[in-house]
Amino acid sequence: MSRTTHGWAPYVDPPGVLVVHSAPWDTTSTALRMRDGWVVVDSPVEPGEPEGLLRTLAKEGAPVRALLVTHADWDHLLMPPALPGAEVVLERRTAARLTAHGPAIAAELAAYDRAAGRAPRTLADLSAARVVDAPATIAVAGGRVEVHPVPGHTADGAAYLFPDAAVLCPGDYLSPVEEPLVDRGGSVAAYLDALDLLESLLGRIDRVVPGHGPVMTPAEARAVLRDHR
């Protein structure tokens, strides 16, 4: 279905799934080929990587139609400037968090860039994004995407299930490289509810692409889920 590698080196098995890993926190960005073009979930982290992903997808002969954001931590928000004209999709809790805490999220990105010795980047204005009330099934790029609400890690959170590709992108859950973290308005109770919901989805998919770490089979994801629970 897909191949992945650590560090910035994308691999594609058209017309299927492309996963790239940024070195910081082993952050993933996933692209899925739909009928009318590519859909991207979240973003690479380092300067130039979003543009590199866009160039890679362009070589595959299809445009990027949409960007889906799992949650409003800054390391998942860096793709929009590289995708002019693409639709951005936010779950309603993520849109609310950006409205309430956008300057603080941008300040965290600026602090990261300054610590790396470079000029701070700015976050894109996502006020015109398409806002979805999860749970929902939406049409994107000529295909179907299920949006499932998974707050707990933070106050917001969306997991995206692609039924035709049998791929689940759960954001910062089910990661073998990131221990459970409750932050920014999340809660342990909501985190456990999110794990229950994600467990119910694993029987419907072939691959899990967490926000940090390697692509996994459902069996591998279940082992991580048991450990995190």
Side-chain angles (χ1 to χ4, degrees):
M1 170 181 287
S2 66
R3 291 170 292 165
T4 64
T5 186
H6 295 278
W8 176 254
Y11 288 84
V12 183
D13 289 322
V17 181
L18 176 150
V19 180
V20 296
H21 289 81
S22 290
W25 313 298
D26 204 2
T27 302
T28 63
S29 183
T30 306
L32 297 100
R33 182 75 172 265
M34 313 292 268
R35 186 185 66 196
D36 297 336
W38 290 97
V39 173
V40 176
V41 180
D42 288 343
S43 64
V45 173
E46 293 295 275
E49 290 181 345
E51 293 78 9
L53 175 55
L54 186 60
R55 288 192 296 269
T56 298
L57 297 177
K59 291 177 183 178
E60 296 300 312
V64 176
R65 296 297 189 188
L67 170 70
L68 312 181
V69 176
T70 61
H71 61 297
D73 285 357
W74 67 262
D75 53 315
H76 297 262
L77 297 172
L78 299 172
M79 200 70 200
L83 294 175
E87 179 180 45
V88 178
V89 176
L90 306 174
E91 204 278 326
R92 187 165 298 280
R93 294 173 183 84
T94 298
R97 184 178 161 204
L98 286 169
T99 298
H101 303 292
I105 297 167
E108 292 178 354
L109 169 60
Y112 173 82
D113 282 336
R114 290 192 187 97
R118 57 180 172 244
R121 289 168 287 176
T122 59
L123 292 176
D125 179 4
L126 300 183
S127 59
R130 176 181 177 185
V131 178
V132 175
D133 289 303
T137 299
I138 61 175
V140 179
R144 294 177 300 132
V145 182
E146 296 179 16
V147 188
H148 295 274
V150 287
H153 166 58
T154 56
D156 61 324
Y160 296 100
L161 190 149
F162 296 81
D164 295 332
V167 170
L168 175 65
C169 297
D172 282 3
Y173 296 93
L174 309 184
S175 169
V177 301
E178 180 173 287
E179 291 298 316
L181 172 65
V182 174
D183 198 8
R184 296 174 174 83
S187 73
V188 172
Y191 200 112
L192 291 170
D193 288 343
L195 292 181
D196 289 344
L197 188 153
L198 293 169
E199 185 174 32
S200 74
L201 302 177
L202 291 179
R204 300 176 49 204
I205 51 95
D206 295 328
R207 292 291 185 274
V208 176
V209 188
H212 304 273
V215 178
M216 295 181 294
T217 66
E220 291 168 333
R222 284 191 182 94
V224 172
L225 188 149
R226 286 193 296 270
D227 179 68
H228 286 184
R229 183 181 280 139

